[in-house]
Amino acid sequence: MRLITSNEQAIKRAVIVFLIIGILGRVWTVAVYPPVGGAKLFILSLAATVLLAAACYAADFLNARRISALYERLAPVAPIIGVSCLLTLWAAAVYLFTDTLSLLRLGHFAMGIALIGVVWFAGDSAFRMKLVLGVVVLAAVVSALYGVAVAAAGDPFMTIWIIISKVHLDRIPGIVAGGRIAGLSQNVIAFSYVLAAAAPLAFALLACGKGGRRRERTWLLWPALYFALVLMLTVLLLNATRSAILGAVGGCVVAGAVLLLGRPDLWKRLAATLALVGIWLLLMFLPAISGANSILGREPMGSEEAGAVFGSGTMPVSEAETGGLEDTWFGRALIRVSQPGWPSDENSQYEVELREKIATARGRWQEAGEDFYLSGRIVSVGDTSARARIPMTLTALRYSLEHPLGTGTYAPEPRHLPGGLSPRVADEVLKHTPHNQFLVVLVYYGYPGLLLLGAFYLLIARSLLNTARRFLRSRDTESLLLAAAVTGALAGYGLNSLFHNAGPFVGDWFHFIIVGLVFCIERHAAAKSLPQPHTL
């Protein structure tokens, strides 16, 4: 045990390494799928970090022989871990009593709670915290670059994405038909969650200007952060996911406000950053220049070709119609790796169906590619998805009044719908969850679950306010930078979750990494605000 205690810093470095691997695996769900990737890689990395952190905590307890030694290390995060555990236990009780047990979702909660403890254990230095934030931005940027490659070049990038991403395979034609970018995630929506949090991180790091100790490192960092920020914002606009765009913009505004609160002299740098981002977006989306069309614009399909692709959806697909990577030895190998256990025969039912889906997806991408306009979906509120949001809220509230303790799932019936809905909107409402993090928790776990979720976020807000008071007292730029970045990321994620089914207790455990950093930053700001000893 003394050996563990004496090598604690080395263990913390190992925890950070495994955490970075987990973040990359979580964001690059598709790219790292074979042979072990995505959620599997994330879980394996998280298990390693938990074991290492638990070994250090156990060593503290055995050396001191008292439980208070362990509590002292976890005291700042004990309340939020406690609230999270209570919500998890309540959710488990609801599942058991309603016979809707979801071990997967409870597993997500457990992983999130473990992440808070792991991040708190290892994130005891500004460098490690910035490293984790930088990896989140890097993962999003690489994923976005791959998505742009899919949009601009098509194959082989698109076919590789389709073959490896066996998750939600039936939804691929619909996703691709909208000309939207999923990056290296399994779908557009999952990718938008990452971008909504990562864009404010890049904005805060760029606007603050806190670079490395060496001048040349700083000059290399600024262009890289600018490129990362404009790339993520461009992909968000191309995706036209309105809640994610609102989240990213709102997160950047919140990050900028925190920076100005701590250092009003940063207004010039903030103005310059906004001007540079505005110039880029004008070049990309101004109709007269239309840089976005250079990415998404393609030759439209002829009616005969479209009819051949969209015809029955089950007809045999020839090499001439698909003409892509899936008919090469490499493509067939990818198919088998993505579906271990399937027959190796290239004419197996799975491979035939997959080729048909690839052909359909590619055809719809070509058909819809040059029909992208910024004003089409982003500013429109007349589509079914937008018109269904208020009825979704009313339906969820009526459902919750009928089931105040939750049902573990969401199965509204026509009697829960408000009156006057068109058949299409009513069908949209009945088929989907409420598209709001708090409403989803309400219908799943009832009013007790909603109260616990409120307590969860109140603890986060209290920690952020304590951090603000401390860096205002110490005027520590590093604490200000970290607080602005994490607050912006939380705001971006939170705004997105108000209009979509994101959230730490809805199944997205990636969010807990940022939550853990909130308390690490408070600890860092507290250390910086302590009076320093005088030296002669």
Side-chain angles (χ1 to χ4, degrees):
M1 290 300 172
R2 291 182 179 178
L3 180 64
I4 293 176
T5 305
S6 61
N7 290 280
E8 184 170 322
Q9 289 304 315
I11 293 175
K12 288 182 178 180
R13 285 192 287 270
V15 167
I16 289 293
V17 170
F18 281 116
L19 187 61
I20 289 172
I21 294 172
I23 292 172
L24 297 178
R26 182 69 181 89
V27 178
W28 299 345
T29 308
V30 174
V32 296
Y33 203 92
V36 177
K40 295 177 183 177
L41 181 62
F42 183 78
I43 292 169
L44 290 173
S45 301
L46 179 58
T49 62
V50 169
L51 288 174
L52 290 171
C56 286
Y57 288 140
D60 277 352
F61 172 71
L62 293 175
N63 288 334
R65 301 290 181 179
R66 53 190 177 87
I67 195 68
S68 59
L70 181 61
Y71 179 76
E72 287 171 3
R73 295 193 62 168
L74 291 171
V77 292
I80 196 160
I81 290 178
V83 168
S84 302
C85 289
L86 285 175
L87 183 47
T88 302
L89 291 173
W90 174 255
V94 171
Y95 286 137
L96 289 174
F97 281 108
T98 58
D99 198 23
T100 57
L101 184 60
S102 175
L103 293 176
L104 179 62
R105 190 169 286 121
L106 291 176
H108 291 173
F109 296 176
M111 284 189 286
I113 296 169
L115 268 174
I116 294 178
V118 164
V119 172
W120 170 258
F121 168 75
D124 60 351
S125 72
F127 172 77
R128 290 175 188 154
M129 287 186 279
K130 286 190 288 187
L131 183 61
V132 171
L133 296 178
V135 169
V136 173
V137 173
L138 176 64
V141 166
V142 173
S143 188
L145 284 173
Y146 189 88
V148 171
V150 170
D155 284 331
F157 305 102
M158 178 181 170
T159 306
I160 293 174
W161 178 73
I162 291 174
I163 290 176
I164 301 179
S165 182
K166 64 176 182 178
V167 182
H168 303 307
L169 195 59
D170 292 334
R171 295 175 58 188
I172 287 175
I175 292 171
V176 174
R180 303 168 74 183
I181 294 173
L184 288 169
S185 296
Q186 66 268 38
N187 57 58
V188 172
I189 303 302
F191 187 40
S192 69
Y193 295 161
V194 176
L195 292 177
L201 289 178
F203 177 80
L205 295 171
L206 179 64
C208 185
K210 179 69 175 177
R213 296 180 180 178
R214 299 177 62 182
R215 188 176 182 85
E216 60 270 21
R217 190 182 304 169
T218 301
W219 282 106
L220 287 173
L221 181 64
W222 292 346
L225 286 173
Y226 174 70
F227 173 76
L229 178 60
V230 297
L231 175 66
M232 288 187 284
L233 292 177
T234 300
V235 171
L236 272 171
L237 290 173
L238 292 176
N239 276 342
T241 304
R242 288 163 291 200
S243 59
I245 295 171
L246 175 65
V249 173
C252 291
V253 170
V254 170
V258 174
L259 289 174
L260 288 178
L261 177 66
R263 283 187 53 186
D265 60 299
L266 285 176
W267 72 269
K268 293 181 180 179
R269 187 173 182 85
L270 278 168
T273 301
L274 291 174
L276 288 171
V277 171
I279 290 171
W280 173 269
L281 295 180
L282 283 176
L283 292 175
M284 286 300 299
F285 297 106
L286 193 66
I289 303 173
S290 192
N293 283 343
S294 66
I295 295 178
L296 290 179
R298 294 181 179 280
E299 291 294 327
M301 295 167 56
S303 58
E304 294 182 2
E305 185 181 358
V309 173
F310 297 119
S312 63
T314 58
M315 64 182 186
V317 180
S318 67
E319 184 176 353
E321 287 168 343
T322 58
L325 190 65
E326 75 282 1
D327 289 315
T328 65
W329 67 270
F330 180 61
R332 289 194 293 272
L334 282 175
I335 291 174
R336 291 167 190 145
V337 169
S338 68
Q339 276 287 342
W342 281 84
S344 59
D345 180 10
E346 66 180 68
N347 295 317
S348 67
Q349 183 65 25
Y350 171 74
E351 295 191 24
V352 170
E353 291 178 358
L354 185 56
R355 287 195 183 96
E356 292 170 4
K357 287 186 173 73
I358 292 171
T360 303
R362 185 184 294 112
R364 292 192 180 181
W365 179 277
Q366 292 173 336
E367 185 183 60
E370 65 177 24
D371 292 333
F372 172 83
Y373 295 100
L374 178 62
S375 61
R377 186 177 188 275
I378 296 175
V379 299
S380 172
V381 293
D383 62 306
T384 304
S385 177
R387 288 188 291 119
R389 296 309 170 98
I390 294 178
M392 281 179 176
T393 300
L394 297 175
T395 302
L397 291 174
R398 291 184 176 187
Y399 184 89
S400 69
L401 292 174
E402 189 174 307
H403 307 283
L405 298 181
T407 59
T409 185
Y410 185 51
E413 298 178 7
R415 69 175 185 274
H416 299 120
L417 295 172
L421 297 182
S422 67
R424 189 171 182 178
V425 172
D427 184 64
E428 182 83 3
V429 174
L430 292 175
K431 285 184 177 179
H432 294 87
T433 47
H435 280 61
N436 179 287
Q437 175 190 175
F438 294 91
L439 290 177
V440 173
V441 169
L442 175 61
V443 296
Y444 280 2
Y445 315 122
Y447 289 92
L450 183 63
L451 288 174
L452 288 170
L453 182 65
F456 178 85
Y457 279 111
L458 283 175
L459 289 171
I460 293 174
R462 186 182 70 174
S463 178
L464 290 173
L465 288 175
N466 289 338
T467 301
R469 284 196 292 266
R470 282 162 175 159
F471 73 63
L472 286 175
R473 186 187 311 144
S474 65
R475 296 295 174 183
D476 177 54
T477 304
E478 212 158 42
S479 297
L480 173 64
L481 165 64
L482 292 167
V486 171
T487 305
L490 281 172
Y493 193 97
L495 284 172
N496 187 22
S497 75
L498 294 180
F499 302 95
H500 231 289
N501 299 318
F505 295 99
V506 182
D508 183 20
W509 60 94
F510 175 77
H511 180 55
F512 281 97
I513 297 173
I514 300 174
V515 173
L517 287 173
V518 169
F519 297 90
C520 293
I521 294 169
E522 182 185 2
R523 174 174 59 189
H524 182 267
K528 290 291 184 179
S529 64
L530 292 175
Q532 302 297 318
H534 294 284
T535 57
L536 298 176

